[in-house]
Amino acid sequence: MKHITFKVIFGFCFFCLNPVFSQSFPEKVQQFFEEYRNETPPEKVYLQLDKHTYTLGEDVWFSAFLVAGSYQVPSPLSQTLYVDLFDGDGLLLEQKIIRLEKGRGNGDFTLPSFGKPGNYQIKAYTAWMRNSGEEFFFEGGFSVIDGAGGSFLPKMTINAIESSGGKATYRTELLAIDKSGNPLAGKALQMKVFGGDEEVHSQDLLLNEEGIVSFSFSIPEKPYPSQHVELIYLENENYSVSQKIRLPYSFNLADIQFLPEGGNWVVSKKSNIAFRAIAPDGNPLSIQGTIAGTDISFESNFAGLGKFEITPDKQDYQAEISHPVSGQKRTINLPKASTDGLALQVINNPAASYLTAFIQGVSDANSLLLVSQTRGLINYMIEGKLTNGVWGVRIPKENLISGINQITVLTSEGTPLAERLIFIRKEENELKLDVNSNSSLSPREKIKLEITNQSAGNQVSGSFSVSIVDAEQVSDESEVYGTIYSHLLLSSDLKGQIHQPGYYFQNQDESTLEALDLVMLTHGWRRFTWDQIAKNEQGEINYFIERGINIEGQISDQEDTRKGLSGGKITAMVGNGIEIVTTEFGSNGRFIIRDLDYQDSASVTLTAVDNRLKNFVDIKVTQPEAVFTGTSGNYSTEIKWPENLAATYEERALMRRMNEDPDILDLEGVTVEAQTFKKEDEEVQKIYGPGDVSIDPEKIPGSVGFTNVFQLIQGRVSGVKVFVSGLDVSVQIRGVGSINAGTGPLYLLDNIPVDANTLLQVNPRDVASVDVFKDPARAAIFGAQGANGVIAVYTKRGSGFTPSVGGTLVTTYGGYSVAKEFYQPNYDEKGTSTALNDKRATIFWKPILEIGEDGKANLEYFNTDVAKKHLIFIEGIDEEGRIGRVARILE
């Protein structure tokens, strides 16, 4: 295990200990948190995207901020970041491996031009973060529309949900229009309902002359991880368009919790009871209700949260709850009020210089301990006891840092009795960013910006990212998706999904602060438990800090001799000597070559020499297992169609293609050969010749996480739609079906005709290439069977791959992803590229902007032909962990 000391970096923590208090548990608390900060400091990552709405085929630009420790300074630990992209169904599309320097890095994804619209998701993490669990990874998202679509825009309204006999019945109305608002009069639709990946219902629908149909359907009443309706419309007789809409759950499946402040409430003591209502997929529910036998009523806010005040005169209470949309009702028992025990109330008056913790009730403990900590940094710890059933503590705010503060009351032996989370935001410790410009927003005008950065009135340095978008095409959705503030200070330290996390940082209004406090009352802390602290259990370290690309593998005895390996050395040479690294292996033959630093896929030559067997050994490289092969789908209740963004789709796509590398401009005209293929072997294997499109799995980052070969095709070939649901596969190839409509394409596995289910059994890692034949003339060689196109899969075994020879293996291994350069036109110069219509949605993107000690930076960029209002986002951090953000409209 690597031991990392953060004492110099983070300084020291503040304690307020009673000098006469000498029990052992406070010493254990101090020891645990000191080791936690110095030995296993957690990392967090945040990604800023250039925007949150895209069209298919666009580039998604991201800037990464990795922080570590209690003060969340730019991480000096990991230098390797993994960023995974998932489509709306939760399918892993691609993985980027980003090289970090001083906690900063950047990259991009190119959305598939012929993929699926929907709510895409992003996860980002380091290997070191995996020790804390996947729930601590960064999770973000954005919406994707088909800019060339718009022929089918359905709106589904659920009028009622009824529950009976284990079934949920939906009374529904559907309106279907096109992008011009015209109803799809008299058109037929097919509807499928999915619970997770399982199809639970299907039926045909016929729209009336107004494009409306009313219908009902029933599905099993189960808590599926996600639940959605897929509506399929035949754009023409050969090609269909589908839209997916989130289906609300039966109210019976809602998780509704009533949570007393501090964890307990006591008979005859005033208490605050918070509540939270969420569906099985984590989305909030609106509820309203009353407490039986009282005059107390309540209702939830936009996030499904709320609270009420009560002084119980008995132990048992019930809540009568209804759902305002479906009308369903439920009765839920509140947690029992205690006749003894402690109740904790914390008052955070913004105008006061301290927090007040008010403990009341009955306790057998002679002495109590209150501990206040933020991210493992103890800011206050004091002994006390109840006097006449009451104990009050004031915690100076000057001791606190921004973020979630955990206040816990324990016995002197370390048994927790009550706990409360309080959010602290100290604006004086934040960066104050500002941006100004005197430029006019005329078409193609050069815009000049001045950015300033201060802290406590002083100019300071920092590292930032800048995104500028056309405000008429792209709206500010940071409230929904979150910001650097909401992730690093809030959602990364709490259990459960935070709905619209950016909302809580839009201002410091009383209503916003009250909503944020409801989050504190209803979401638990999740980094460690007090039982761990009492036992000083820091947790297992199964994943180590990565500072480069690691290659793992196995060396084995080539002749399978009785004595076997004795151990030796293995050398890795990257490319033609880009990097040469030697390490040792033991008698078990396992090896790991650490911290290689190279970009893109490179040829790696591995040479092993055993002390006994010399070079009579075989080498096998272990391909890294993907952390995620998929995730739960994410569906919206309404189809998103930003008209202004869709209207510029063709011009933006043309400008993007004209400024891309010509070698990758037309993917359909390129057949990529793996470096390990021998030309003559490939020609022998592909007896029908290459297809119109040839796909090399090794050139698809993240394909290591694919579970079937059809994922290699999805979204990567124009005019080809792939639908996979369980063991059902459907492939549609636009253009060829008109020859012999009604059947799917011909499937080949190493030149032998097979069915789709056979291809589903093929491991994607064993695939050398996939060829797609779309042109009817080229598919004619297959006869009538190929009239609907051909999908040809060729395996590595079929293409003559050979193992290592003489203790040497030459293989291709992925390195760090190469970030593309954001295209910025220069209208001071005239040329072919500047003759195009400029309707870019993202006008300017700078993923890493370093501001020096003078606290100033100047930027220049050119306006588009159409943008009249610019939306500017700047986010960043300084070396002390202070974060800052500014969003500004320029018009």
Side-chain angles (χ1 to χ4, degrees):
M1 165 183 171
K2 293 187 178 181
H3 295 272
I4 296 91
T5 301
F6 274 72
K7 293 178 181 177
V8 175
I9 300 172
F10 295 139
F12 61 91
C13 61
F14 297 92
F15 292 90
C16 185
L17 289 170
N18 188 325
V20 301
F21 191 75
S22 58
Q23 282 89 339
S24 60
F25 185 69
E27 296 173 352
K28 291 181 179 180
V29 173
Q30 181 177 351
Q31 178 185 359
F32 176 88
F33 284 118
E34 184 174 356
E35 291 184 8
Y36 173 76
R37 295 192 309 274
N38 294 336
E39 301 294 332
T40 58
E43 287 184 320
K44 298 179 181 180
V45 62
Y46 169 72
L47 300 184
Q48 180 186 357
L49 307 184
D50 64 304
K51 56 183 184 288
H52 286 100
T53 302
Y54 299 84
T55 50
L56 288 170
E58 267 198 281
D59 291 315
V60 178
W61 306 93
F62 63 84
S63 180
F65 298 85
L66 183 70
V67 301
S70 299
Y71 284 103
Q72 301 191 149
V73 301
S75 179
L77 307 178
S78 299
Q79 294 180 2
T80 302
L81 177 70
Y82 301 90
V83 184
D84 295 346
L85 175 66
F86 306 84
D87 69 11
D89 290 324
L91 172 70
L92 176 64
L93 294 180
E94 193 171 356
Q95 181 183 84
K96 297 285 187 176
I97 304 176
I98 305 300
R99 187 182 187 281
L100 301 172
E101 185 174 351
K102 296 182 181 179
R104 297 287 279 112
N106 66 285
D108 60 273
F109 289 105
T110 298
L111 297 174
S113 297
F114 311 102
K116 296 176 289 186
N119 293 332
Y120 283 46
Q121 301 173 70
I122 288 184
K123 294 181 184 287
Y125 50 92
T126 65
W128 183 248
M129 290 171 65
R130 296 180 65 183
N131 293 304
S132 300
E134 295 175 6
E135 63 270 22
F136 295 105
F137 295 175
F138 171 83
E139 294 188 13
F142 54 88
S143 60
V144 178
I145 68 165
D146 182 359
S151 61
F152 176 47
L153 301 175
K155 179 180 180 180
M156 191 171 71
T157 303
I158 305 297
N159 296 318
I161 304 175
E162 300 168 359
S163 176
S164 178
K167 294 276 189 180
T169 300
Y170 295 79
R171 311 293 179 189
T172 311
E173 182 177 271
L174 179 69
L175 167 66
I177 60 175
D178 62 19
K179 61 184 177 182
S180 300
N182 301 315
L184 302 183
K187 298 295 184 180
L189 307 177
Q190 184 182 15
M191 182 188 75
K192 297 181 179 180
V193 183
F194 292 86
D197 295 329
E198 179 186 356
E199 183 180 321
V200 295
H201 177 77
S202 66
Q203 71 182 86
D204 294 327
L205 303 173
L206 183 63
L207 302 172
N208 63 18
E209 292 303 312
E210 297 176 338
I212 297 174
V213 60
S214 297
F215 60 100
S216 63
F217 61 93
S218 299
I219 64 170
E221 192 176 49
K222 294 182 180 180
Y224 298 107
S226 65
Q227 200 168 264
H228 73 277
V229 170
E230 180 179 13
L231 297 165
I232 303 170
Y233 164 64
L234 283 177
E235 186 179 281
N236 56 54
E237 63 179 11
N238 301 310
Y239 200 75
S240 63
V241 177
S242 71
Q243 297 282 15
K244 297 176 181 179
I245 300 174
R246 179 181 179 267
L247 184 66
Y249 291 80
S250 167
F251 194 49
N252 290 337
L253 301 174
D255 179 16
I256 302 174
Q257 300 178 27
F258 288 88
L259 305 161
E261 180 178 9
N264 303 304
W265 58 319
V266 180
V267 172
S268 76
K269 306 295 183 183
K270 184 188 295 185
S271 298
N272 288 316
I273 306 293
F275 59 87
R276 180 187 184 202
I278 59 172
D281 61 0
N283 280 289
L285 290 171
S286 296
I287 63 172
Q288 57 190 25
T290 59
I291 302 301
T294 74
D295 58 358
I296 297 172
S297 61
F298 57 86
E299 64 178 330
S300 61
N301 66 5
F302 71 98
L305 310 177
K307 72 175 181 180
F308 54 86
E309 189 178 87
I310 184 173
T311 302
D313 56 13
K314 58 180 181 178
Q315 287 188 284
D316 298 314
Y317 286 89
Q318 287 186 324
E320 303 288 345
I321 308 170
S322 64
H323 187 257
V325 177
S326 69
Q328 292 178 289
K329 300 181 183 296
R330 288 177 62 179
T331 299
I332 294 181
N333 293 324
L334 271 62
K336 280 183 176 291
S338 302
T339 55
D340 54 14
L342 299 181
L344 170 65
Q345 288 184 305
V346 178
I347 300 171
N348 180 16
N349 185 343
S353 61
Y354 50 82
L355 298 176
T356 300
F358 189 61
I359 303 101
Q360 56 180 333
V362 179
S363 174
D364 295 332
N366 294 324
S367 180
L368 300 173
L369 179 69
L370 182 143
V371 180
S372 173
Q373 67 86 23
T374 300
R375 296 190 296 272
L377 186 68
I378 301 175
N379 48 63
Y380 200 82
M381 184 159 62
I382 190 170
E383 179 197 17
K385 62 181 180 179
L386 298 176
T387 302
N388 296 324
V390 177
W391 179 31
V393 177
R394 288 182 174 180
I395 304 173
K397 289 184 179 178
E398 64 182 5
N399 287 7
L400 308 179
I401 59 177
S402 291
I404 298 172
N405 194 58
Q406 180 189 37
I407 300 173
T408 309
V409 180
L410 310 100
T411 66
S412 57
E413 293 78 24
T415 302
L417 302 175
E419 189 168 275
R420 170 75 149 91
L421 302 183
I422 288 288
F423 192 86
I424 299 297
R425 185 173 180 183
K426 305 182 77 171
E427 292 189 339
E428 63 269 22
N429 293 331
E430 298 175 1
L431 299 178
K432 299 298 182 184
L433 285 164
D434 198 9
V435 56
N436 292 287
S437 175
N438 294 322
S439 304
S440 67
L441 297 188
S442 301
R444 303 198 176 193
E445 183 76 17
K446 180 182 288 186
I447 311 298
K448 297 181 180 181
L449 299 181
E450 181 185 62
I451 301 170
T452 58
N453 180 41
Q454 295 184 344
S455 178
N458 300 315
Q459 286 77 25
V460 293
S461 59
S463 183
F464 303 89
S465 55
V466 182
S467 174
I468 303 175
V469 297
D470 183 346
E472 293 184 345
Q473 296 190 58
V474 180
S475 59
D476 182 358
E477 298 178 274
S478 54
E479 182 178 305
V480 174
Y481 291 101
T483 66
I484 191 170
Y485 281 108
S486 66
H487 184 75
L488 294 185
L489 299 181
L490 181 66
S491 55
S492 59
D493 283 323
L494 291 179
K495 292 181 179 178
Q497 176 179 316
I498 309 299
H499 183 65
Q500 296 187 10
Y503 169 86
Y504 305 104
F505 296 85
Q506 60 179 338
N507 54 50
Q508 291 277 62
D509 294 347
E510 182 179 354
S511 60
T512 305
L513 295 177
E514 288 180 356
L516 179 56
D517 195 51
L518 288 177
V519 177
M520 297 296 99
L521 288 166
T522 54
H523 292 70
W525 178 267
R526 63 184 186 184
R527 287 283 175 179
F528 35 72
T529 66
W530 287 101
D531 185 56
Q532 286 178 273
I533 295 172
K535 298 177 182 178
N536 196 24
E537 293 178 349
Q538 293 291 341
E540 295 184 7
I541 302 299
N542 297 313
Y543 305 95
F544 299 96
I545 294 168
E546 291 184 341
R547 297 180 179 273
I549 302 297
N550 297 335
I551 300 178
E552 299 183 50
Q554 178 71 47
I555 298 170
S556 58
D557 181 352
Q558 195 175 74
E559 302 296 332
D560 196 20
T561 60
R562 182 172 60 85
K563 291 186 177 181
L565 299 171
S566 67
K569 293 184 178 181
I570 182 170
T571 299
M573 181 177 72
V574 180
N576 295 319
I578 297 174
E579 194 169 4
I580 300 176
V581 177
T582 299
T583 189
E584 296 182 350
F585 62 90
S587 58
N588 64 359
R590 294 289 301 166
F591 70 86
I592 178 169
I593 301 170
R594 297 183 182 275
D595 303 337
L596 298 173
D597 188 357
Y598 63 93
Q599 293 184 325
D600 209 352
S601 293
S603 174
V604 179
T605 302
L606 299 172
T607 304
V609 178
D610 183 68
N611 295 331
R612 177 185 297 117
L613 301 175
K614 305 306 178 185
N615 62 347
F616 292 97
V617 295
D618 287 329
I619 305 172
K620 184 178 181 180
V621 170
T622 303
Q623 292 294 331
E625 293 288 339
V627 177
F628 301 99
T629 57
T631 187
S632 296
N634 187 353
Y635 307 97
S636 296
T637 54
E638 295 183 357
I639 301 300
K640 189 172 186 177
W641 186 255
E643 293 183 11
N644 292 339
L645 184 66
T648 63
Y649 169 75
E650 293 184 0
E651 291 90 344
R652 290 186 292 107
L654 178 60
M655 175 171 275
R656 185 175 61 253
R657 289 196 298 268
M658 288 294 292
N659 291 285
E660 287 178 344
D661 188 308
D663 291 335
I664 60 172
L665 176 60
D666 184 6
L667 293 178
E668 296 193 24
V670 179
T671 299
V672 181
E673 299 173 10
Q675 295 179 8
T676 47
F677 274 145
K678 293 182 178 179
K679 182 67 176 178
E680 58 271 24
D681 287 339
E682 186 178 359
E683 289 175 349
V684 170
Q685 184 195 36
K686 297 185 178 182
I687 62 175
Y688 298 105
D692 299 295
V693 180
S694 186
I695 300 170
D696 180 0
E698 292 189 9
K699 299 300 181 183
I700 304 176
S703 63
V704 66
F706 289 176
T707 57
N708 64 74
V709 298
F710 292 97
Q711 290 173 266
L712 298 170
I713 307 172
Q714 280 183 316
R716 293 181 175 87
V717 184
S718 65
V720 177
K721 281 198 171 185
V722 179
F723 305 91
V724 180
S725 177
L727 296 178
D728 294 329
V729 179
S730 173
V731 177
Q732 297 178 354
I733 301 180
R734 177 182 284 175
V736 296
S738 58
I739 299 174
N740 186 18
T743 62
L746 170 67
Y747 300 105
L748 298 177
L749 178 60
D750 289 333
N751 302 310
I752 300 174
V754 296
D755 58 21
N757 286 332
T758 300
L759 288 186
L760 271 176
Q761 309 308 313
V762 177
N763 189 331
R765 296 188 183 184
D766 295 332
V767 174
S769 68
V770 179
D771 281 30
V772 181
F773 294 81
K774 303 191 302 175
D775 185 355
R778 299 197 65 182
I781 191 175
F782 301 98
Q785 287 183 300
N788 290 281
V790 180
I791 306 294
V793 175
Y794 301 100
T795 62
K796 293 177 179 178
R797 181 179 303 172
S799 58
F801 275 71
T802 57
S804 60
V805 178
T808 299
L809 173 68
V810 180
T811 186
T812 300
Y813 204 86
Y816 287 118
S817 301
V818 181
K820 292 194 298 186
E821 183 177 354
F822 179 79
Y823 170 69
Q824 300 176 50
N826 182 359
Y827 289 125
D828 286 338
E829 301 176 0
K830 304 298 181 183
T832 304
S833 61
T834 60
L836 298 173
N837 289 330
D838 186 353
K839 297 184 178 181
R840 290 169 295 135
T842 299
I843 304 171
F844 181 83
W845 169 251
K846 193 169 184 63
I848 299 179
L849 171 68
E850 301 293 345
I851 294 181
E853 293 181 356
D854 63 353
K856 294 182 180 180
N858 295 293
L859 296 176
E860 292 184 352
Y861 66 96
F862 286 92
N863 193 18
T864 69
D865 290 328
V866 296
K868 299 177 181 178
K869 184 186 297 185
H870 292 187
L871 188 53
I872 303 173
F873 301 102
I874 305 175
E875 294 186 313
I877 190 169
D878 72 358
E879 61 182 9
E880 296 183 22
R882 293 174 296 201
I883 57 179
R885 180 179 191 272
V886 63
R888 186 67 48 80
I889 289 286
L890 183 64
E891 55 184 336

